Amino acid sequence: GVVTSFTTDSGSATPIAGVVQIKASPKHAGSSVSFSGSANIVLFNVTDASNNTIIGLNAGNLAMSGTTNTVLGNAAATALTNASGNAIVGSSSGSAITTGASNTIFGTSSGTSITSGTLNTICGQGSGTGFTTGTRNVILGTGSGTSFATTDSSNIVIGANVTGTGGQSNSLRIGSGTG
């Protein structure tokens, strides 16, 4: 049969001379993806009405009510509910964040334990995995910040595999072997 209309998330597209134009088509996209159509054009949108941009297979959460989150990566930020202002990049990164806000997380499997922690900056594969509700931590380096406890806050860790010390806040650790 002949297609007479292409229904999208917002509107529909009608073929002209048997052609419907698709402007963009990613292989995988997260919960904020939608298509809109007008005339014979279908537009691909990756930012939702709440200014969330989520791209990646199984990334984000369809039930999310948070705003201004940017998520990029396979299975990244899968638990987001009412979180806002997060920038999360990397496969499985920030996967437990539900209500945490203003976190910046870069690196595969980084920040995976954070649930409601806020204002954390984490950069490095597998880093920042030790705390859930801690705030204002700065963790730079692959495998760093993995030993912090649930609420540890205001720590600065710089260097690969500088794990930190559980139960400690307001600490500065630079270089391998500094805990």
Side-chain angles (χ1 to χ4, degrees):
V2 176
V3 175
T4 58
S5 178
F6 183 82
T7 303
T8 67
D9 295 319
S10 173
S12 64
T14 304
I16 295 177
V19 175
V20 172
Q21 297 178 23
I22 306 291
K23 293 292 185 177
S25 179
K27 183 176 180 184
H28 302 293
S31 63
S32 64
V33 171
S34 67
F35 290 89
S36 60
S38 177
N40 74 326
I41 298 173
V42 175
L43 298 175
F44 169 66
N45 307 299
V46 294
T47 301
D48 65 16
S50 297
N51 294 314
N52 295 298
T53 302
I54 300 174
I55 300 174
L57 179 63
N58 298 317
N61 179 351
L62 289 174
M64 180 176 61
S65 62
T67 61
T68 62
N69 293 290
T70 301
V71 177
L72 175 63
N74 176 52
T78 55
L80 283 179
T81 53
N82 195 26
S84 295
N86 294 291
I88 301 169
V89 178
S91 180
S92 299
S93 59
S95 57
I97 294 176
T98 54
T99 60
S102 302
N103 292 292
T104 304
I105 301 171
F106 289 93
T108 299
S109 299
S110 57
T112 55
S113 297
I114 299 171
T115 56
S116 59
T118 60
L119 301 166
N120 294 293
T121 301
I122 299 169
C123 183
Q125 181 178 1
S127 59
T129 60
F131 58 91
T132 58
T133 61
T135 63
R136 293 181 170 85
N137 291 292
V138 177
I139 299 171
L140 306 174
T142 299
S144 295
T146 57
S147 294
F148 288 119
T150 303
T151 61
D152 292 350
S153 298
S154 300
N155 293 293
I156 299 172
V157 175
I158 301 172
N161 300 311
V162 178
T163 60
T165 302
Q168 189 172 59
S169 292
N170 303 305
S171 69
L172 169 64
R173 303 211 180 264
I174 300 175
S176 182
T178 59

